[in-house]
Amino acid sequence: MKKKVSVLMALVVLSCMVLMGCSSQKLVPADQVVGALFQLAAMDDAAPMKDLLGFASEEDVRSALMEDGGSDLVEELEKQFTDAGIEFSTEEVEEMKNDIISLLKNTPYTVELTSEEKDKCVVTLKVTGYSMADMTEIAMTTQQAAQDALTEDQLAAIQSGDADALNEFMHTYMMDYMKAVSQMSPMEEATEITVECEKVKVDVSGKEQVCWMPLSLDSFGNDVEAAIMQ
């Protein structure tokens, strides 16, 4: 799947104004902000950012920090399966979403403030991601196992174009595949991401707050996605 996680597909953007000269307000350390932003973008976890900056709710975090409030992973998965002509219940898609999130929440990462000046700083984010080659191997192994489990009648039905038979096969295959993916181990080598940050004004549940945020949010999102899935 090209679109692995909705929060990685959605560009993490801010409706904010760059501050050339900021007030004396005490800022939350940039490394903590980058760490919370990573959890939001990569793991669909808004709680760390909510607690860090004092948002009233996780919904407020998503509304302030994600384009259009972020996209829903269940809806994204349902759309992809529908486009492919395969039907899954919302509960089944929810289960697959949980498998994906389970994998992502086990992603090892570290954040370190490496330099800081008055109006800018640099944070080093190290992410130990997962191998796309390993995912492909899991897909092939799982598909073969699902095929081997077919009876002659089921195989004949699929080969004849029976939509119900194909849908049943895809149910078995995809659910097993997602379960197997959720058990993957991270790669040995970490990917280092250099995150340049600047001071911006952010709407924190109706209150303007000055915060460190990545200089290029577009690049940050792309770098995170590339580091997680290699």
Side-chain angles (χ1 to χ4, degrees):
M1 290 167 57
K2 182 179 180 180
K3 296 182 178 179
K4 293 159 288 283
V5 182
S6 62
V7 285
L8 296 179
M9 294 184 291
L11 293 178
V12 183
V13 296
L14 297 171
S15 298
C16 57
M17 181 177 69
V18 177
L19 299 180
M20 299 307 294
C22 299
S23 67
S24 59
Q25 174 187 357
K26 184 176 180 179
L27 300 180
V28 174
D31 56 338
Q32 294 182 30
V33 172
V34 170
L37 189 58
F38 173 78
Q39 291 177 290
L40 175 63
M43 305 175 185
D44 195 24
D45 189 354
M49 186 66 78
K50 170 184 174 293
D51 296 339
L52 186 65
L53 297 187
F55 283 92
S57 66
E58 293 185 15
E59 289 74 18
D60 283 358
V61 173
R62 300 181 192 282
S63 178
L65 304 183
M66 300 182 70
E67 184 180 18
D68 298 326
S71 56
D72 185 86
L73 180 55
V74 173
E75 293 180 359
E76 292 289 345
L77 288 173
E78 286 179 330
K79 182 179 184 302
Q80 290 184 37
F81 293 136
T82 299
D83 290 345
I86 305 167
E87 295 182 3
F88 286 88
S89 68
T90 299
E91 291 75 18
E92 289 170 329
V93 177
E94 182 74 32
E95 183 177 343
M96 286 188 280
K97 168 194 171 180
N98 291 336
D99 288 336
I100 295 173
I101 296 301
S102 175
L103 174 72
L104 295 174
K105 285 191 174 181
N106 287 324
T107 304
Y109 74 97
T110 62
V111 286
E112 179 184 1
L113 180 64
T114 50
S115 71
E116 182 174 1
E117 300 177 17
K118 179 180 179 181
D119 295 320
K120 63 180 180 180
C121 67
V122 176
V123 174
T124 299
L125 170 64
K126 293 183 179 180
V127 181
T128 307
Y130 301 90
S131 167
M132 290 297 292
D134 289 349
M135 286 189 180
T136 300
E137 183 176 349
I138 289 173
M140 295 175 63
T141 301
T142 306
Q143 181 178 357
Q144 187 62 54
Q147 289 175 343
D148 292 344
L150 291 172
T151 65
E152 291 185 3
D153 289 343
Q154 289 173 323
L155 181 58
I158 292 173
Q159 291 175 337
S160 68
D162 187 307
D164 290 338
L166 176 60
N167 198 54
E168 182 178 351
F169 171 78
M170 290 304 299
H171 269 77
T172 301
Y173 164 58
M174 286 302 302
M175 299 296 285
D176 289 348
Y177 169 69
M178 289 296 186
K179 286 295 183 188
V181 166
S182 71
Q183 301 301 314
M184 287 182 64
S185 298
M187 302 173 67
E188 293 184 2
E189 296 295 328
T191 298
E192 185 174 301
I193 303 172
T194 299
V195 186
E196 297 182 9
C197 298
E198 62 186 347
K199 296 176 183 177
V200 300
K201 289 180 180 179
V202 180
D203 180 1
V204 179
S205 297
K207 297 180 180 179
E208 189 177 84
Q209 184 169 325
V210 179
C211 306
W212 288 113
M213 284 289 164
L215 180 63
S216 174
L217 294 165
D218 190 357
S219 295
F220 178 79
N222 292 337
D223 289 345
V224 167
E225 180 173 358
I228 291 178
M229 301 295 183
Q230 299 182 36

